[in-house]
Amino acid sequence: MKACPVIAIDGPSGSGKGTIAGILAARLDFSLLDSGALYRAVGITVHKSRIEISNTKQIIEIINNMDVCFQYNDVGRIFVDGEDLTTLIRSELGGQMASKVAVLPEVRGALLDKQLAFRAGPGLVADGRDMGTVVFPDAELKIFLNANVQERAQRRYNQLIGKGIDATLPDLLRDLKERDRRDTERPVSPLRPGKGAVIIDSTDLTIQEVVDQVLTLFSTVASRPY
Ligand code: DC
């Protein structure tokens, strides 16, 4: 067990990993890396700057000069170069743009150091698609959180409607399937469980049940009680 343990939580959109990662980080007093938000921040900045996805050179320049800052104390706000872009980053457009830039190996490489920098004491909960496979392959605990696509679309629908945002279930289902396909079929860092990952299907589990399962698993690998 290293000085700074990492819990890597990977899985498809809507599997609940963001919520679970946030609860675990608060409970363990660990740092939190929402790697999807980094990809979303890049996607939205590319969109706002009207840069073509094929213009890798300019996208990398954006990443190298981009300052992304997370504020987790209230609803979890994301600032890019000092501007609060939370709503845009969390929108469907943010998700679609993120999944488009995420297929570019240069983008993944440029974001690697930014993600590694989140590893600090007393520990880190890292949420994404390649946390256990590429970014933190030495993570103490790797979780692959899944749920069936209908359930994930329904969760996303409830979330958006709860926030007063217009959405339709068929549109969300189509977008999720498209994003799943892009995430799992890309040649670089495709979404898949890391070596030794524990697969949890959250379709019929409550958030609390998933959190409890992960905490129990973590207590078996942690060198001290948390
Ligand atoms: O977890 P999310 O929905 O915020 O992620 C948005 C997109 O970013 C998702 O479609 C895939 C991409 N992503 C990635 O490729 N690798 C990560 N570690 C995190 C997200």
Side-chain angles (χ1 to χ4, degrees):
M1 183 96 176
K2 286 150 233 86
C4 178
V6 174
I7 301 178
I9 305 186
D10 292 306
S13 301
S15 57
K17 52 192 170 59
T19 307
I20 305 292
I23 295 173
L24 287 169
R27 182 81 173 263
L28 297 164
D29 206 16
F30 279 13
S31 302
L32 178 63
L33 165 59
D34 175 356
S35 62
L38 288 180
Y39 285 93
R40 284 169 182 263
V42 175
I44 285 298
T45 310
V46 166
H47 179 78
K48 276 167 57 117
S49 320
R50 297 178 191 279
I51 295 171
E52 293 291 325
I53 294 288
S54 55
N55 193 343
T56 322
K57 194 164 167 270
Q58 242 186 311
I59 298 178
I60 299 307
E61 241 175 75
I62 284 185
I63 295 175
N64 291 338
N65 296 309
M66 189 173 74
D67 175 42
V68 184
C69 175
F70 293 91
Q71 236 179 44
Y72 290 119
N73 46 1
D74 55 3
V75 284
R77 311 210 71 81
I78 308 152
F79 296 81
V80 180
D81 298 327
E83 191 185 350
D84 184 349
L85 293 185
T86 313
T87 308
L88 209 46
I89 281 176
R90 293 281 170 226
S91 66
E92 289 306 299
L93 173 70
Q96 287 298 332
M97 285 306 299
S99 113
K100 285 182 187 164
V101 294
V103 299
L104 304 170
E106 297 87 348
V107 166
R108 306 200 72 85
L111 285 178
L112 190 59
D113 280 347
K114 285 188 194 285
Q115 296 175 83
L116 292 174
F118 278 79
R119 190 174 199 167
L124 173 69
V125 181
D127 143 28
R129 302 292 189 290
D130 59 349
M131 298 296 99
T133 49
V134 175
V135 184
F136 303 107
D138 61 339
E140 275 64 25
L141 179 62
K142 298 176 189 176
I143 301 291
F144 190 86
L145 193 58
N146 213 341
N148 78 37
V149 71
Q150 265 80 15
E151 171 66 19
R152 290 189 279 125
Q154 185 67 52
R155 287 177 189 171
R156 183 71 184 143
Y157 177 78
N158 296 346
Q159 215 177 33
L160 291 171
I161 297 300
K163 284 185 196 163
I165 301 170
D166 238 7
T168 73
L169 206 48
D171 283 352
L172 289 174
L173 192 58
R174 193 200 54 231
D175 289 352
L176 265 185
K177 283 181 177 170
E178 191 188 320
R179 219 184 303 171
D180 281 358
R181 190 189 50 73
R182 229 183 269 142
D183 291 347
T184 51
E185 290 180 6
R186 67 174 173 231
V188 203
S189 309
L191 172 65
R192 60 178 168 78
K195 193 164 177 270
V198 178
I199 299 173
I200 298 178
D201 185 335
S202 74
T203 307
D204 298 315
L205 297 178
T206 63
I207 290 169
Q208 193 54 50
E209 284 169 332
V210 178
V211 168
D212 288 346
Q213 277 196 29
V214 179
L215 284 173
T216 304
L217 288 163
F218 186 57
S219 69
T220 64
V221 293
S223 60
R224 66 176 179 89
Y226 283 91

